[in-house]
Amino acid sequence: MKFQGRIVSPGTITAEALVSHGGLNTLASFQKALQFGDKKATCGDQNNPDLYGKQMAGKALCLPQTIGSTTGGLVLYCACSMGRQPACMLFSQPIDSLAAAGAVLADVWLDNVKMPVIDSLGDEFLSYVKDGMKITVNSDGSVDVE
Amino acid sequence: MNLTKEQQAILDGEKGEVLAKVMQTLVRYGELFGATEMVPVTSKHNHLVTSFGLKALGPVYSLMDQLIETGAVSKQTFSVDPRPLDKNVPSNFLLDFIFNNFMYSKQDFYEGQLDKLGLMDKDAFTCTCYMDQVGNKPQKGEVLSWAESSAVVYANSVLGARCNRNSGIIDLMGSVVGFVPKFGLLTDEGRRATWIIDIQTTKKPEAQLLGSAIGMRVMEEVPFIRGLDKWIGTELTDAACTYLKDMGAATASNGAVGLYHVENLTPEAVEQGASLIAEGAQTYVIDDAELQRVYDSYPVMWKNKDATPKLCFMGCPHMSLQQLCDWTDKVERSLKESGNKKVCVPTVFTASPAVLKEFEKTPYADRLKATGVITSYICPLMYMNNPLAGKMPVITSSNKLRTYTTARYYTDDEILAEITKGGK
Protein backbone atom coordinates (compact mmCIF):
# COMPACT_ATOMS: atom_id res chain seq x y z
CA MET A 1 0.00 0.00 0.00
CA LYS A 2 1.32 3.45 -0.93
CA PHE A 3 0.63 6.67 0.98
CA GLN A 4 1.57 10.16 -0.14
CA GLY A 5 2.77 12.76 2.32
CA ARG A 6 4.72 16.03 2.48
CA ILE A 7 8.50 16.06 2.83
CA VAL A 8 9.65 17.73 6.06
CA SER A 9 13.22 16.37 5.94
CA PRO A 10 14.27 14.67 2.70
CA GLY A 11 15.76 11.21 2.31
CA THR A 12 15.02 7.60 1.44
CA ILE A 13 15.16 4.60 3.74
CA THR A 14 13.69 1.18 4.43
CA ALA A 15 12.96 0.14 8.00
CA GLU A 16 10.61 -1.80 10.24
CA ALA A 17 7.49 0.02 11.44
CA LEU A 18 6.90 1.00 15.06
CA VAL A 19 3.46 2.50 15.57
CA SER A 20 2.15 4.92 18.20
CA HIS A 21 -1.56 5.62 17.86
CA GLY A 22 -1.42 8.35 20.51
CA GLY A 23 0.84 11.39 20.42
CA LEU A 24 4.53 10.77 21.10
CA ASN A 25 5.67 12.54 24.25
CA THR A 26 9.22 13.21 23.08
CA LEU A 27 10.80 14.11 26.43
CA ALA A 28 9.15 11.24 28.32
CA SER A 29 10.00 8.77 25.55
CA PHE A 30 13.67 9.63 25.01
CA GLN A 31 14.97 11.11 28.25
CA LYS A 32 15.91 7.88 30.02
CA ALA A 33 17.59 6.51 26.90
CA LEU A 34 19.66 9.64 26.40
CA GLN A 35 20.48 9.93 30.09
CA PHE A 36 21.65 6.38 30.70
CA GLY A 37 23.33 5.53 27.40
CA ASP A 38 20.70 3.21 25.92
CA LYS A 39 21.68 2.97 22.25
CA LYS A 40 18.40 1.25 21.37
CA ALA A 41 16.47 4.27 22.66
CA THR A 42 13.96 2.15 24.56
CA CYS A 43 10.79 4.19 25.02
CA GLY A 44 10.44 5.32 28.64
CA ASP A 45 6.96 6.83 28.47
CA GLN A 46 4.71 4.78 30.74
CA ASN A 47 1.69 6.63 29.42
CA ASN A 48 2.22 5.32 25.88
CA PRO A 49 1.13 1.65 25.84
CA ASP A 50 2.02 1.29 22.15
CA LEU A 51 5.67 2.23 22.60
CA TYR A 52 6.63 1.77 26.26
CA GLY A 53 9.61 -0.56 26.57
CA LYS A 54 10.14 -0.88 22.80
CA GLN A 55 13.23 0.06 20.81
CA MET A 56 12.76 3.32 18.87
CA ALA A 57 16.27 3.73 17.40
CA GLY A 58 16.42 2.56 13.79
CA LYS A 59 12.66 2.02 13.49
CA ALA A 60 10.22 3.69 11.12
CA LEU A 61 8.30 5.57 13.78
CA CYS A 62 4.66 6.06 12.70
CA LEU A 63 2.61 8.52 14.76
CA PRO A 64 -0.07 11.21 14.62
CA GLN A 65 1.93 14.09 16.19
CA THR A 66 4.23 14.70 19.15
CA ILE A 67 2.97 16.05 22.46
CA GLY A 68 4.30 17.21 25.81
CA SER A 69 7.06 19.53 26.96
CA THR A 70 8.24 22.26 24.60
CA THR A 71 11.74 20.88 25.10
CA GLY A 72 10.56 18.23 22.59
CA GLY A 73 12.43 19.69 19.62
CA LEU A 74 15.77 19.83 21.34
CA VAL A 75 15.34 16.33 22.79
CA LEU A 76 14.77 15.00 19.26
CA TYR A 77 17.81 16.96 18.07
CA CYS A 78 19.90 15.35 20.82
CA ALA A 79 18.64 11.86 19.94
CA CYS A 80 19.74 12.46 16.33
CA SER A 81 23.10 13.86 17.36
CA MET A 82 23.76 10.84 19.58
CA GLY A 83 22.72 8.37 16.88
CA ARG A 84 19.68 7.14 18.80
CA GLN A 85 17.01 8.50 16.48
CA PRO A 86 14.34 6.54 14.62
CA ALA A 87 15.23 5.61 11.02
CA CYS A 88 12.47 7.97 9.92
CA MET A 89 9.42 9.70 11.39
CA LEU A 90 6.11 9.37 9.59
CA PHE A 91 3.27 11.60 10.74
CA SER A 92 -0.34 10.94 9.82
CA GLN A 93 -1.25 14.57 10.63
CA PRO A 94 0.46 17.84 9.70
CA ILE A 95 3.59 18.01 11.84
CA ASP A 96 3.39 19.91 15.15
CA SER A 97 5.73 22.79 15.99
CA LEU A 98 7.87 20.78 18.44
CA ALA A 99 8.61 17.86 16.13
CA ALA A 100 9.10 20.30 13.26
CA ALA A 101 11.76 22.12 15.26
CA GLY A 102 13.56 18.86 16.07
CA ALA A 103 13.45 17.65 12.46
CA VAL A 104 14.69 20.96 11.03
CA LEU A 105 17.40 21.40 13.68
CA ALA A 106 18.75 17.92 12.95
CA ASP A 107 18.68 18.46 9.19
CA VAL A 108 20.34 21.88 9.29
CA TRP A 109 22.88 21.45 12.11
CA LEU A 110 24.00 17.82 11.94
CA ASP A 111 26.22 16.83 9.02
CA ASN A 112 26.23 13.07 9.17
CA VAL A 113 22.72 12.36 10.37
CA LYS A 114 19.80 11.78 8.06
CA MET A 115 16.34 11.11 9.44
CA PRO A 116 13.72 11.44 6.69
CA VAL A 117 10.53 13.01 8.05
CA ILE A 118 7.22 12.91 6.19
CA ASP A 119 3.95 14.37 7.47
CA SER A 120 0.28 14.59 6.40
CA LEU A 121 0.11 10.89 5.46
CA GLY A 122 -3.52 10.73 6.59
CA ASP A 123 -5.50 8.82 9.21
CA GLU A 124 -5.75 5.81 6.91
CA PHE A 125 -1.97 5.42 7.05
CA LEU A 126 -2.02 5.11 10.83
CA SER A 127 -4.96 2.67 10.73
CA TYR A 128 -3.21 0.49 8.16
CA VAL A 129 0.36 0.32 9.42
CA LYS A 130 1.26 -2.22 12.13
CA ASP A 131 4.40 -2.92 14.16
CA GLY A 132 6.93 -4.93 12.17
CA MET A 133 5.65 -4.05 8.68
CA LYS A 134 8.28 -3.10 6.10
CA ILE A 135 8.31 0.65 5.40
CA THR A 136 10.02 2.30 2.46
CA VAL A 137 10.31 6.09 2.32
CA ASN A 138 10.73 7.37 -1.24
CA SER A 139 12.33 10.61 -2.42
CA ASP A 140 8.98 12.06 -3.57
CA GLY A 141 7.45 11.88 -0.08
CA SER A 142 5.52 8.71 -0.73
CA VAL A 143 5.67 5.82 1.73
CA ASP A 144 5.26 2.14 0.84
CA VAL A 145 3.92 -0.14 3.56
CA GLU A 146 4.24 -3.92 3.14
CA MET B 1 9.17 32.86 2.15
CA ASN B 2 9.56 36.51 1.19
CA LEU B 3 12.61 37.80 3.00
CA THR B 4 13.75 41.39 3.39
CA LYS B 5 17.21 42.33 2.08
CA GLU B 6 18.57 42.18 5.60
CA GLN B 7 17.09 38.73 6.24
CA GLN B 8 18.22 37.40 2.85
CA ALA B 9 21.75 38.66 3.50
CA ILE B 10 21.87 36.75 6.78
CA LEU B 11 20.55 33.62 5.05
CA ASP B 12 23.17 34.02 2.33
CA GLY B 13 25.93 34.00 4.90
CA GLU B 14 26.98 37.65 4.80
CA LYS B 15 27.05 37.67 8.60
CA GLY B 16 28.73 34.30 8.94
CA GLU B 17 27.94 30.66 8.48
CA VAL B 18 26.49 30.09 11.93
CA LEU B 19 24.01 32.98 11.69
CA ALA B 20 23.06 31.73 8.20
CA LYS B 21 22.22 28.33 9.69
CA VAL B 22 20.16 29.99 12.43
CA MET B 23 18.18 31.88 9.77
CA GLN B 24 17.84 28.75 7.64
CA THR B 25 16.44 26.86 10.64
CA LEU B 26 13.82 29.54 11.28
CA VAL B 27 12.85 29.89 7.62
CA ARG B 28 12.40 26.15 7.15
CA TYR B 29 10.53 25.91 10.45
CA GLY B 30 8.17 28.71 9.38
CA GLU B 31 7.61 27.38 5.88
CA LEU B 32 6.27 24.13 7.31
CA PHE B 33 3.43 26.17 8.80
CA GLY B 34 2.79 28.36 5.77
CA ALA B 35 4.70 31.44 6.93
CA THR B 36 5.39 33.85 4.08
CA GLU B 37 7.47 36.37 5.99
CA MET B 38 9.71 36.86 9.01
CA VAL B 39 8.68 39.57 11.47
CA PRO B 40 10.81 41.40 14.06
CA VAL B 41 10.82 40.23 17.66
CA THR B 42 9.62 43.35 19.47
CA SER B 43 9.57 42.46 23.18
CA LYS B 44 12.20 43.98 25.46
CA HIS B 45 13.28 40.60 26.86
CA ASN B 46 13.17 37.01 25.70
CA HIS B 47 12.42 33.92 27.78
CA LEU B 48 14.02 30.48 27.29
CA VAL B 49 12.57 27.11 28.29
CA THR B 50 15.83 25.22 28.75
CA SER B 51 17.12 26.00 32.23
CA PHE B 52 18.59 22.68 33.23
CA GLY B 53 22.09 21.35 32.75
CA LEU B 54 20.87 17.87 31.95
CA LYS B 55 23.84 15.67 31.06
CA ALA B 56 21.79 14.04 28.29
CA LEU B 57 21.57 17.31 26.37
CA GLY B 58 25.26 17.44 25.43
CA PRO B 59 24.56 18.20 21.75
CA VAL B 60 22.58 21.29 22.79
CA TYR B 61 25.54 22.64 24.73
CA SER B 62 27.77 22.08 21.69
CA LEU B 63 25.33 24.04 19.55
CA MET B 64 25.25 26.82 22.16
CA ASP B 65 29.05 26.91 22.06
CA GLN B 66 28.96 27.42 18.29
CA LEU B 67 26.64 30.40 18.81
CA ILE B 68 28.77 31.90 21.58
CA GLU B 69 32.09 31.42 19.78
CA THR B 70 30.84 33.22 16.67
CA GLY B 71 29.16 36.02 18.60
CA ALA B 72 25.69 34.86 17.54
CA VAL B 73 24.21 35.70 20.92
CA SER B 74 20.75 36.88 21.90
CA LYS B 75 19.78 40.40 20.80
CA GLN B 76 17.71 40.68 23.98
CA THR B 77 18.50 39.79 27.54
CA PHE B 78 16.34 36.90 28.69
CA SER B 79 14.89 35.09 31.66
CA VAL B 80 14.81 31.31 31.71
CA ASP B 81 12.81 28.50 33.31
CA PRO B 82 13.48 27.53 36.95
CA ARG B 83 16.62 25.81 38.18
CA PRO B 84 16.22 22.05 38.71
CA LEU B 85 17.92 21.86 42.10
CA ASP B 86 17.64 23.56 45.48
CA LYS B 87 19.18 22.21 48.66
CA ASN B 88 16.15 23.47 50.63
CA VAL B 89 13.94 20.85 49.00
CA PRO B 90 13.87 17.51 50.83
CA SER B 91 15.86 14.76 49.16
CA ASN B 92 18.16 11.94 50.26
CA PHE B 93 21.75 10.87 49.68
CA LEU B 94 20.94 8.65 46.69
CA LEU B 95 18.73 11.28 45.06
CA ASP B 96 21.42 13.94 45.51
CA PHE B 97 24.00 11.56 44.04
CA ILE B 98 21.86 10.98 40.95
CA PHE B 99 21.07 14.68 40.58
CA ASN B 100 24.67 15.83 40.86
CA ASN B 101 26.51 13.02 39.07
CA PHE B 102 24.12 11.78 36.41
CA MET B 103 21.32 14.20 35.71
CA TYR B 104 22.31 17.80 36.29
CA SER B 105 26.09 17.52 36.31
CA LYS B 106 26.27 20.19 33.56
CA GLN B 107 24.23 22.76 35.52
CA ASP B 108 27.09 25.14 36.36
CA PHE B 109 28.55 24.86 32.87
CA TYR B 110 25.18 25.54 31.25
CA GLU B 111 24.46 28.54 33.48
CA GLY B 112 27.82 29.92 32.32
CA GLN B 113 26.64 29.53 28.72
CA LEU B 114 23.35 31.27 29.50
CA ASP B 115 25.26 34.15 31.02
CA LYS B 116 27.29 34.58 27.83
CA LEU B 117 24.18 34.34 25.66
CA GLY B 118 22.35 37.16 27.47
CA LEU B 119 20.79 36.06 30.79
CA MET B 120 18.99 39.02 32.49
CA ASP B 121 20.52 38.33 35.91
CA LYS B 122 21.60 35.40 38.04
CA ASP B 123 18.15 35.07 39.60
CA ALA B 124 16.11 35.28 36.38
CA PHE B 125 15.14 31.60 36.67
CA THR B 126 11.37 31.11 36.70
CA CYS B 127 8.51 29.91 34.49
CA THR B 128 6.48 32.99 35.54
CA CYS B 129 8.78 35.66 34.12
CA TYR B 130 5.75 37.88 33.52
CA MET B 131 5.29 38.56 37.26
CA ASP B 132 5.83 42.24 38.11
CA GLN B 133 8.64 41.33 40.51
CA VAL B 134 10.61 39.54 37.76
CA GLY B 135 10.37 42.28 35.16
CA ASN B 136 9.83 40.38 31.93
CA LYS B 137 6.22 41.31 31.20
CA PRO B 138 5.54 41.86 27.49
CA GLN B 139 3.14 44.51 26.28
CA LYS B 140 0.01 43.91 24.23
CA GLY B 141 0.79 43.27 20.57
CA GLU B 142 4.50 42.63 21.08
CA VAL B 143 6.00 39.72 19.14
CA LEU B 144 7.85 37.14 21.25
CA SER B 145 10.17 34.21 20.65
CA TRP B 146 9.32 32.18 23.75
CA ALA B 147 8.84 28.44 24.22
CA GLU B 148 7.78 27.72 27.83
CA SER B 149 4.20 26.57 27.28
CA SER B 150 2.67 28.07 30.45
CA ALA B 151 4.35 31.43 29.79
CA VAL B 152 3.39 31.45 26.10
CA VAL B 153 -0.29 30.85 26.85
CA TYR B 154 -0.27 33.53 29.57
CA ALA B 155 1.50 36.09 27.37
CA ASN B 156 -0.88 35.48 24.46
CA SER B 157 -4.09 35.29 26.44
CA VAL B 158 -3.76 37.59 29.46
CA LEU B 159 -1.25 40.12 28.12
CA GLY B 160 -2.28 40.08 24.46
CA ALA B 161 1.28 39.55 23.21
CA ARG B 162 1.90 37.35 20.17
CA CYS B 163 3.90 34.14 20.33
CA ASN B 164 3.74 30.64 18.89
CA ARG B 165 4.25 27.51 20.93
CA ASN B 166 7.87 27.12 19.92
CA SER B 167 10.33 24.46 20.89
CA GLY B 168 13.43 25.05 22.98
CA ILE B 169 16.40 26.32 20.87
CA ILE B 170 13.95 27.86 18.39
CA ASP B 171 13.16 30.36 21.18
CA LEU B 172 16.83 31.34 21.41
CA MET B 173 17.36 31.41 17.65
CA GLY B 174 14.50 33.88 17.11
CA SER B 175 16.19 36.22 19.54
CA VAL B 176 19.64 35.71 17.97
CA VAL B 177 18.55 36.88 14.51
CA GLY B 178 15.81 39.16 15.84
CA PHE B 179 13.09 37.71 13.60
CA VAL B 180 10.51 34.92 13.83
CA PRO B 181 8.37 33.37 11.09
CA LYS B 182 4.85 34.80 10.98
CA PHE B 183 2.25 32.06 11.27
CA GLY B 184 -0.34 30.68 13.69
CA LEU B 185 -0.77 32.79 16.82
CA LEU B 186 1.16 35.68 15.28
CA THR B 187 -1.67 36.25 12.81
CA ASP B 188 -5.16 37.70 13.38
CA GLU B 189 -6.75 34.66 11.76
CA GLY B 190 -4.74 32.25 13.90
CA ARG B 191 -6.00 33.99 17.04
CA ARG B 192 -9.68 33.43 16.26
CA ALA B 193 -11.49 30.88 18.41
CA THR B 194 -12.56 27.57 16.92
CA TRP B 195 -14.14 26.35 20.17
CA ILE B 196 -16.71 27.95 22.48
CA ILE B 197 -16.40 26.77 26.08
CA ASP B 198 -19.67 27.25 27.94
CA ILE B 199 -19.13 27.23 31.72
CA GLN B 200 -22.30 26.10 33.54
CA THR B 201 -20.91 25.08 36.93
CA THR B 202 -22.74 25.84 40.19
CA LYS B 203 -19.54 27.05 41.88
CA LYS B 204 -16.23 28.61 40.85
CA PRO B 205 -14.44 25.90 38.86
CA GLU B 206 -11.06 24.76 40.12
CA ALA B 207 -8.59 26.56 37.81
CA GLN B 208 -6.30 23.60 37.24
CA LEU B 209 -9.20 21.21 36.63
CA LEU B 210 -10.99 23.55 34.25
CA GLY B 211 -7.79 24.10 32.26
CA SER B 212 -7.23 20.37 32.06
CA ALA B 213 -10.76 19.75 30.74
CA ILE B 214 -10.41 22.48 28.12
CA GLY B 215 -6.93 21.38 27.04
CA MET B 216 -7.86 17.73 26.65
CA ARG B 217 -10.87 18.66 24.51
CA VAL B 218 -9.56 21.40 22.22
CA MET B 219 -5.87 20.29 22.08
CA GLU B 220 -3.99 22.98 20.08
CA GLU B 221 -7.03 25.01 19.03
CA VAL B 222 -8.15 28.38 20.42
CA PRO B 223 -11.07 28.37 22.90
CA PHE B 224 -13.41 31.30 23.66
CA ILE B 225 -14.56 30.80 27.26
CA ARG B 226 -18.01 32.00 28.25
CA GLY B 227 -19.42 32.18 31.78
CA LEU B 228 -16.09 32.35 33.61
CA ASP B 229 -16.36 36.11 34.27
CA LYS B 230 -19.25 35.26 36.59
CA TRP B 231 -16.73 33.57 38.89
CA ILE B 232 -13.51 35.55 38.47
CA GLY B 233 -14.83 38.96 37.47
CA THR B 234 -14.30 41.32 34.56
CA GLU B 235 -11.07 42.95 35.77
CA LEU B 236 -7.57 41.51 35.46
CA THR B 237 -6.92 41.73 39.21
CA ASP B 238 -4.10 39.82 40.93
CA ALA B 239 -6.58 37.10 41.85
CA ALA B 240 -7.95 36.81 38.29
CA CYS B 241 -4.45 36.75 36.79
CA THR B 242 -3.35 34.05 39.23
CA TYR B 243 -6.42 32.01 38.32
CA LEU B 244 -5.70 32.43 34.60
CA LYS B 245 -2.02 31.52 35.13
CA ASP B 246 -2.98 28.17 36.66
CA MET B 247 -5.86 27.47 34.29
CA GLY B 248 -3.72 28.33 31.28
CA ALA B 249 -0.83 26.12 32.32
CA ALA B 250 -3.24 23.20 32.52
CA THR B 251 -4.70 23.94 29.06
CA ALA B 252 -1.17 24.03 27.65
CA SER B 253 0.10 20.83 29.30
CA ASN B 254 -3.02 18.67 29.27
CA GLY B 255 -3.60 19.81 25.70
CA ALA B 256 -1.47 22.11 23.56
CA VAL B 257 -3.34 25.40 23.93
CA GLY B 258 -1.28 28.51 23.16
CA LEU B 259 -4.07 31.07 23.42
CA TYR B 260 -7.51 31.30 25.03
CA HIS B 261 -9.99 34.15 25.24
CA VAL B 262 -12.21 34.76 28.28
CA GLU B 263 -15.36 36.71 27.51
CA ASN B 264 -15.42 40.19 29.12
CA LEU B 265 -12.00 39.67 30.70
CA THR B 266 -8.96 38.99 28.50
CA PRO B 267 -7.84 41.92 26.32
CA GLU B 268 -8.82 40.69 22.86
CA ALA B 269 -12.15 39.30 24.11
CA VAL B 270 -12.95 42.66 25.70
CA GLU B 271 -12.07 44.53 22.49
CA GLN B 272 -13.53 42.22 19.88
CA GLY B 273 -16.13 40.15 21.74
CA ALA B 274 -17.87 37.38 19.83
CA SER B 275 -16.35 38.49 16.53
CA LEU B 276 -13.27 36.52 17.66
CA ILE B 277 -15.23 33.30 17.22
CA ALA B 278 -14.63 31.63 13.86
CA GLU B 279 -17.50 30.38 11.76
CA GLY B 280 -18.36 26.77 12.52
CA ALA B 281 -16.79 26.84 16.00
CA GLN B 282 -17.67 23.81 18.11
CA THR B 283 -19.12 24.07 21.62
CA TYR B 284 -18.02 22.27 24.78
CA VAL B 285 -20.29 22.61 27.82
CA ILE B 286 -18.54 22.28 31.19
CA ASP B 287 -20.72 21.67 34.24
CA ASP B 288 -20.03 20.12 37.65
CA ALA B 289 -20.50 16.59 36.30
CA GLU B 290 -18.05 17.16 33.46
CA LEU B 291 -15.37 18.45 35.82
CA GLN B 292 -15.93 15.41 38.06
CA ARG B 293 -15.64 13.13 35.02
CA VAL B 294 -12.31 14.71 34.09
CA TYR B 295 -11.03 14.47 37.68
CA ASP B 296 -12.02 10.79 37.88
CA SER B 297 -10.25 10.04 34.60
CA TYR B 298 -6.76 10.79 35.96
CA PRO B 299 -4.75 7.60 36.42
CA VAL B 300 -2.96 7.18 39.76
CA MET B 301 0.63 6.38 38.82
CA TRP B 302 1.81 5.38 42.30
CA LYS B 303 2.90 1.77 42.77
CA ASN B 304 0.92 1.62 46.02
CA LYS B 305 -2.21 3.67 45.41
CA ASP B 306 -2.88 3.90 49.17
CA ALA B 307 0.60 5.12 50.08
CA THR B 308 0.99 8.00 52.52
CA PRO B 309 2.22 11.08 50.64
CA LYS B 310 5.90 11.79 51.24
CA LEU B 311 6.07 15.19 49.56
CA CYS B 312 3.73 17.91 48.36
CA PHE B 313 4.58 20.40 45.61
CA MET B 314 2.58 23.59 45.07
CA GLY B 315 3.61 26.09 42.43
CA CYS B 316 3.84 24.60 38.96
CA PRO B 317 3.78 27.16 37.42
CA HIS B 318 5.46 29.23 40.12
CA MET B 319 3.16 30.88 42.68
CA SER B 320 2.41 34.59 42.73
CA LEU B 321 3.09 36.79 45.77
CA GLN B 322 -0.63 36.99 46.47
CA GLN B 323 -0.92 33.21 46.21
CA LEU B 324 1.86 32.72 48.77
CA CYS B 325 0.13 35.10 51.20
CA ASP B 326 -3.30 33.54 50.68
CA TRP B 327 -1.94 30.05 51.20
CA THR B 328 -0.17 31.14 54.37
CA ASP B 329 -3.57 32.17 55.76
CA LYS B 330 -5.18 28.93 54.57
CA VAL B 331 -2.52 26.65 56.03
CA GLU B 332 -2.51 28.49 59.38
CA ARG B 333 -6.30 28.37 59.62
CA SER B 334 -6.52 24.72 58.74
CA LEU B 335 -3.73 23.75 61.13
CA LYS B 336 -5.55 25.57 63.90
CA GLU B 337 -8.77 23.69 63.13
CA SER B 338 -6.97 20.36 63.20
CA GLY B 339 -4.98 21.12 66.35
CA ASN B 340 -1.70 20.51 64.51
CA LYS B 341 1.20 22.90 64.73
CA LYS B 342 3.07 21.91 61.56
CA VAL B 343 2.13 20.41 58.21
CA CYS B 344 2.05 16.63 58.32
CA VAL B 345 3.39 16.13 54.79
CA PRO B 346 6.71 17.76 53.80
CA THR B 347 5.43 20.60 51.64
CA VAL B 348 7.23 22.87 49.18
CA PHE B 349 5.76 26.08 47.78
CA THR B 350 7.67 27.19 44.69
CA ALA B 351 7.94 30.72 43.30
CA SER B 352 10.44 32.80 41.39
CA PRO B 353 13.50 34.09 43.27
CA ALA B 354 12.21 37.66 42.80
CA VAL B 355 8.77 36.85 44.22
CA LEU B 356 10.32 34.94 47.13
CA LYS B 357 12.53 37.94 47.86
CA GLU B 358 9.46 40.18 48.11
CA PHE B 359 7.61 37.55 50.14
CA GLU B 360 10.48 37.46 52.64
CA LYS B 361 9.88 41.16 53.32
CA THR B 362 6.29 40.50 54.41
CA PRO B 363 5.15 39.19 57.81
CA TYR B 364 3.68 36.20 56.00
CA ALA B 365 7.16 34.67 55.46
CA ASP B 366 7.79 33.92 59.14
CA ARG B 367 4.22 32.76 59.58
CA LEU B 368 4.54 30.30 56.68
CA LYS B 369 7.89 29.08 57.99
CA ALA B 370 6.27 28.39 61.36
CA THR B 371 3.82 26.00 59.68
CA GLY B 372 6.73 23.92 58.37
CA VAL B 373 6.10 24.74 54.71
CA ILE B 374 9.33 25.19 52.74
CA THR B 375 9.68 27.79 49.99
CA SER B 376 11.89 27.22 46.97
CA TYR B 377 12.68 28.50 43.48
CA ILE B 378 13.01 24.95 42.13
CA CYS B 379 11.20 23.45 39.13
CA PRO B 380 9.15 20.60 40.64
CA LEU B 381 8.98 18.94 37.26
CA MET B 382 12.75 18.73 36.96
CA TYR B 383 12.99 17.40 40.52
CA MET B 384 10.43 14.67 39.77
CA ASN B 385 11.85 13.73 36.39
CA ASN B 386 14.04 10.79 37.47
CA PRO B 387 13.42 7.14 38.37
CA LEU B 388 13.87 7.57 42.15
CA ALA B 389 11.63 10.60 42.62
CA GLY B 390 9.22 8.99 40.19
CA LYS B 391 8.64 6.17 42.68
CA MET B 392 7.92 8.57 45.54
CA PRO B 393 4.26 9.25 46.43
CA VAL B 394 4.12 12.99 45.69
CA ILE B 395 0.93 15.06 45.75
CA THR B 396 0.27 18.31 43.94
CA SER B 397 -2.47 20.70 42.89
CA SER B 398 -0.68 21.23 39.57
CA ASN B 399 -2.20 19.55 36.57
CA LYS B 400 1.01 20.16 34.64
CA LEU B 401 3.06 18.27 37.22
CA ARG B 402 0.46 15.49 37.22
CA THR B 403 0.65 15.18 33.45
CA TYR B 404 4.42 14.98 33.13
CA THR B 405 5.31 12.99 36.27
CA THR B 406 3.89 10.40 38.69
CA ALA B 407 2.64 13.11 41.07
CA ARG B 408 -0.99 12.68 42.13
CA TYR B 409 -3.39 15.56 41.58
CA TYR B 410 -5.69 16.90 44.28
CA THR B 411 -7.83 20.01 44.28
CA ASP B 412 -6.69 22.95 46.43
CA ASP B 413 -9.09 22.04 49.25
CA GLU B 414 -7.97 18.42 49.17
CA ILE B 415 -4.31 19.43 49.22
CA LEU B 416 -4.96 21.65 52.22
CA ALA B 417 -6.63 18.76 54.05
CA GLU B 418 -3.78 16.40 53.13
CA ILE B 419 -0.98 18.63 54.35
CA THR B 420 -2.66 20.00 57.48
CA LYS B 421 -4.91 17.16 58.61
CA GLY B 422 -3.40 14.08 56.99
CA GLY B 423 -6.23 13.93 54.50
CA LYS B 424 -8.97 13.81 57.14
Side-chain angles (χ1 to χ4, degrees), chain A residues 67, chain B residues 195 214-222 251 254-258:
Chain A
I67 58 171
Chain B
W195 277 90
I214 294 171
M216 287 199 277
R217 178 58 63 93
V218 312
M219 293 311 290
E220 74 274 21
E221 295 190 45
V222 178
T251 66
N254 287 226
V257 174

Side-chain angles (χ1 to χ4, degrees), chain B residues 196-258:
Chain B
I196 298 167
I197 310 296
D198 189 1
I199 308 286
Q200 295 185 6
T201 54
T202 58
K203 57 183 179 184
K204 182 178 170 181
E206 191 86 7
Q208 299 263 5
L209 196 50
L210 176 63
S212 166
I214 294 171
M216 287 199 277
R217 178 58 63 93
V218 312
M219 293 311 290
E220 74 274 21
E221 295 190 45
V222 178
F224 185 93
I225 306 169
R226 283 188 159 142
L228 189 56
D229 53 333
K230 174 181 170 186
W231 301 110
I232 63 172
T234 55
E235 299 288 331
L236 287 171
T237 58
D238 276 359
C241 288
T242 295
Y243 185 98
L244 295 176
K245 162 182 78 77
D246 289 339
M247 184 194 80
T251 66
S253 56
N254 287 226
V257 174

Side-chain angles (χ1 to χ4, degrees), chain A:
Chain A
M1 188 84 147
K2 189 182 274 293
F3 296 89
Q4 183 64 49
R6 176 181 69 153
I7 299 169
V8 173
S9 293
T12 58
I13 202 156
T14 297
E16 191 178 279
L18 176 66
V19 184
S20 173
H21 291 95
L24 174 86
N25 186 322
T26 310
L27 177 64
S29 297
F30 279 97
Q31 188 190 332
K32 210 182 283 181
L34 301 185
Q35 194 78 52
F36 298 105
D38 171 14
K39 289 181 179 168
K40 293 180 178 174
T42 307
C43 178
D45 182 6
Q46 297 181 50
N47 292 313
N48 189 332
D50 289 340
L51 297 191
Y52 181 60
K54 293 182 183 171
Q55 174 178 338
M56 297 184 291
K59 297 296 172 82
L61 189 55
C62 309
L63 68 165
Q65 283 191 325
T66 69
I67 58 171
S69 165
T70 48
T71 56
L74 64 94
V75 170
L76 193 55
Y77 170 76
C78 287
C80 291
S81 179
M82 296 161 91
R84 288 167 204 169
Q85 77 277 19
C88 56
M89 291 182 80
L90 306 174
F91 293 86
S92 62
Q93 296 177 22
I95 197 166
D96 56 281
S97 62
L98 307 181
V104 172
L105 283 165
D107 203 37
V108 173
W109 291 84
L110 299 174
D111 290 332
N112 298 316
V113 179
K114 279 291 167 202
M115 180 180 68
V117 178
I118 309 290
D119 78 344
S120 303
L121 285 158
D123 292 341
E124 200 190 333
F125 164 74
L126 211 54
S127 312
Y128 183 81
V129 68
K130 303 283 182 292
D131 277 5
M133 284 179 158
K134 184 183 168 192
I135 300 277
T136 303
V137 179
N138 305 305
S139 58
D140 63 354
S142 66
V143 174
D144 294 317
V145 184
E146 300 171 42

Side-chain angles (χ1 to χ4, degrees), chain A residues 104 108, chain B residues 1-29 31 38 177 179:
Chain A
V104 172
V108 173
Chain B
M1 182 88 77
N2 300 312
L3 299 180
T4 62
K5 277 185 182 170
E6 180 192 4
Q7 293 161 352
Q8 188 64 50
I10 296 172
L11 186 64
D12 292 343
E14 288 182 19
K15 292 192 176 175
E17 189 189 344
V18 169
L19 217 49
K21 282 168 93 169
V22 172
M23 184 60 98
Q24 188 190 347
T25 304
L26 293 169
V27 168
R28 280 190 53 185
Y29 169 66
E31 282 177 341
M38 302 282 286
V177 290
F179 299 99

Side-chain angles (χ1 to χ4, degrees), chain B residues 378-400:
Chain B
I378 201 174
C379 172
L381 218 157
M382 290 298 119
Y383 176 96
M384 289 283 298
N385 208 1
N386 69 83
L388 276 186
K391 286 179 183 162
M392 200 191 295
V394 174
I395 59 174
T396 183
S397 65
S398 163
N399 231 319
K400 180 170 183 172

